[in-house]
Amino acid sequence: ADVITEENRRERHMAIGVISSNAGFSLIKSIVNGVLREIKIEFNIKECNQPFLINGRCANIIFKNKNAGYFGEIAPQVLNKFNLQYPVVVCEINLDLFI
């Protein structure tokens, strides 16, 4: 989807979300690895701190020393706010950085 940044730039982003009783950091990490491997992107991950994700269970996607996105487990307080009964994992990737 197209996203408008704080700098008023348009970027193409991809988002993935999974809700499941077995959703966890390992699941979303495997999904991100698989997607980026299929499009032949070499990347690193680095621990991140997003207020809506669980600390220690989230990571930034680093591509050519730039933050290309994040993935991780949604924090319990967010799940509770939306009355979600199962864990949720998400990722968001800025695809424009790979072009």
Side-chain angles (χ1 to χ4, degrees):
D2 286 345
V3 174
I4 304 299
T5 67
E6 291 176 357
E7 297 84 22
N8 206 27
R9 283 192 330 264
R10 183 181 305 267
E11 296 177 346
R12 179 68 44 110
H13 286 216
M14 176 180 66
I16 299 170
V18 178
I19 183 169
S20 170
S21 60
N22 65 353
F25 182 80
S26 296
L27 173 64
I28 195 64
K29 182 179 178 185
S30 295
I31 292 169
V32 169
N33 278 326
V35 168
L36 294 179
R37 183 181 60 239
E38 284 299 312
I39 59 175
K40 311 232 182 315
I41 299 297
E42 292 185 27
F43 67 100
N44 294 306
I45 62 171
K46 178 180 170 186
E47 188 174 330
C48 75
N49 185 13
Q50 294 277 357
F52 56 92
L53 299 175
I54 300 172
N55 285 335
R57 295 186 190 178
C58 61
N60 283 326
I61 300 163
I62 306 300
F63 175 72
K64 295 185 178 179
N65 295 318
K66 293 184 180 179
N67 185 0
Y70 64 85
F71 60 91
E73 293 182 48
I74 298 289
Q77 64 269 25
V78 177
L79 298 177
N80 291 336
K81 184 172 183 159
F82 291 98
N83 296 315
L84 297 173
Q85 303 301 309
Y86 295 100
V88 176
V89 292
V90 297
C91 82
E92 183 175 357
I93 303 171
N94 180 349
L95 298 175
D96 283 348
L97 291 178
F98 305 137
I99 297 172

